[in-house]
Amino acid sequence: MIIRHFDEIAASSQAVHADNWSSFRLLTRKDGMGFSLHETWIHPGTETHIWYKNHLEAVYCIEGEGEIQPLHGSEDAPTPGEPIAIQPGTMYALDKHDRHLLRATTRLRLICVFDPPLRGDEVHGPDGAYPADPE
């Protein structure tokens, strides 16, 4: 059984910070669960380009307001889709490695699950993806 408290993670190397977000990796690959579990804070007033081409992600919003805007078409000339509101109780799953913009009006607190699981130290590359990491 694995038991952790958020405060332990927040004060460890499993708390990863970037300009637009902070992610607290509660479960990582080394835990052997087959997925990773994170609490991620998207900072207010930010827009983040994300494209998890190497991972699937499911997200559940527990606090805040923002929107996700799908990006379609080529990598060089994406066509934006209609923005979709995010608020507490909203879940979205990037089941097709969907490229998107994530915007936070207020701080978003999101519970995220990744498959395959993250190591725990990843940050987005220039293309918006976490790197593929062979097992």
Side-chain angles (χ1 to χ4, degrees):
M1 183 179 301
I2 301 168
I3 298 176
R4 296 191 174 112
H5 191 274
F6 181 85
D7 292 343
E8 296 170 49
I9 301 302
S12 78
S13 63
Q14 288 178 220
V16 179
H17 305 280
D19 290 340
N20 293 357
W21 53 266
S22 295
S23 182
F24 307 92
R25 280 76 191 269
L26 302 165
L27 291 171
T28 62
R29 178 181 301 159
K30 72 177 187 244
D31 295 310
M33 297 291 295
F35 59 89
S36 58
L37 175 68
H38 314 185
E39 179 173 330
T40 300
W41 300 350
I42 308 298
H43 304 314
T46 62
E47 176 181 274
T48 306
H49 173 253
I50 302 173
W51 183 17
Y52 294 132
K53 56 187 173 183
N54 303 308
H55 298 84
L56 297 175
E57 182 193 29
V59 177
Y60 183 70
C61 178
I62 59 172
E63 180 183 293
E65 294 184 3
E67 66 183 18
I68 183 171
Q69 183 171 26
L71 297 174
H72 308 289
S74 72
E75 187 172 349
D76 295 331
T79 303
E82 287 297 315
I84 301 156
I86 299 172
Q87 58 191 10
T90 303
M91 186 282 303
Y92 63 89
L94 304 167
D95 61 333
K96 294 183 176 45
H97 305 281
D98 310 88
R99 194 166 24 139
H100 61 283
L101 297 173
L102 183 57
R103 297 183 187 104
T105 306
T106 64
R107 180 182 77 165
L108 287 169
R109 283 183 60 210
L110 308 172
I111 303 301
C112 309
V113 176
F114 280 87
D115 177 30
L118 298 184
R119 286 184 322 268
D121 60 351
E122 293 90 343
V123 295
H124 299 125
D127 59 358
Y130 289 140
D133 192 26
E135 303 260 346

Coordinates of all heavy atoms in Angstrom, one line a residue, residues 50 83 90:
I50 N -0.2 22.5 -25.4 CA 0.1 21.1 -24.9 C -0.2 20.1 -26.0 O -1.3 20.2 -26.7 CB -0.8 20.8 -23.6 CG1 -0.4 21.8 -22.5 CG2 -0.5 19.3 -23.2 CD1 -1.3 21.6 -21.3
P83 N -13.4 26.8 -28.2 CA -13.0 26.6 -26.8 C -14.1 26.0 -25.9 O -15.3 26.2 -26.2 CB -12.7 28.1 -26.3 CG -12.6 28.9 -27.5 CD -13.4 28.2 -28.5
T90 N -15.7 19.5 -14.2 CA -15.4 19.1 -15.6 C -14.3 18.1 -15.7 O -13.3 18.2 -15.0 CB -15.0 20.4 -16.4 OG1 -16.0 21.4 -16.3 CG2 -14.7 20.1 -17.9

